[in-house]
Amino acid sequence: MPTFQLESKLKRGETEILVIHCGDYRFQAGFHEFLNDKLNLNQNYDLMVIPGGPLSLTLFEYLPKFSWASWKWLRFFVEKHGIKRLILIQHQDCGFYKTMPAHLHDSAEPRERQEQDLRRAATTMKKDFPGLKVELYYAGWDAPDRVTIDSIPV
Ligand SMILES: [Zn+2]
């Protein structure tokens, strides 16, 4: 087994930031650029990458085990790492959303459904973790396929 020697060094110190986004390969470079270059996080954040991203935090009734696991992981980071800032990102054309039954949301329009879930997650978060600052974002793309990210009001 070869050993790969990297330029990257272990990050020392602490972080107070947790990011949750989808694992869709099309957006990974965009998410990375947004978090590090636009929000200036300097790679200093915990990260949960799961299908549908923050969606699983809202699935109490439809997929309770998924929801339970997601909250367990989130609680781990918040409590063990002293997380104070939570960044939730949804994205356009999320394949995981297409597996969700339509009745779970007020609207049939995908983006409205995703924004509704982001707000649901933020509302629940305020109850469970009142000291946590929550930021919501929606990623898409423009005509030449550049990734765009909108801030969504909490
Ligand atoms: Zn996705």
Side-chain angles (χ1 to χ4, degrees), residues 25-87:
Y25 71 98
R26 298 172 297 168
F27 287 88
Q28 299 309 308
F31 290 154
H32 193 266
E33 179 186 350
F34 171 65
L35 294 166
N36 291 291
D37 300 344
K38 300 301 180 191
L39 296 186
N40 297 312
L41 300 188
N42 193 28
Q43 304 189 36
N44 196 34
Y45 51 90
D46 287 326
L47 180 61
M48 280 171 57
V49 179
I50 41 181
L55 168 64
S56 60
L57 296 169
T58 67
L59 299 175
F60 302 107
E61 289 165 23
Y62 180 58
L63 292 172
K65 289 178 183 170
F66 280 44
S67 180
W68 184 88
S70 300
W71 280 93
K72 177 115 180 146
W73 296 329
L74 175 103
R75 190 172 297 280
F76 163 79
F77 280 123
V78 170
E79 292 176 354
K80 298 297 179 192
H81 287 184
I83 298 298
K84 295 188 170 52
R85 180 181 177 193
L86 177 66
I87 296 171

Side-chain angles (χ1 to χ4, degrees), residues 9 17 20 22 30 36 48 61 63-64 66 68 74-75 83 86-88 91 93 109 111 114 120 127 134 139 141 144:
K9 290 198 166 179
I17 305 167
I20 304 177
C22 185
N36 291 291
M48 280 171 57
E61 289 165 23
L63 292 172
F66 280 44
W68 184 88
L74 175 103
R75 190 172 297 280
I83 298 298
L86 177 66
I87 296 171
L88 304 179
H91 72 86
D93 194 42
E109 205 280 308
R111 175 156 180 169
Q114 289 173 284
R120 281 175 176 166
K127 276 186 250 153
V134 183
W141 64 85

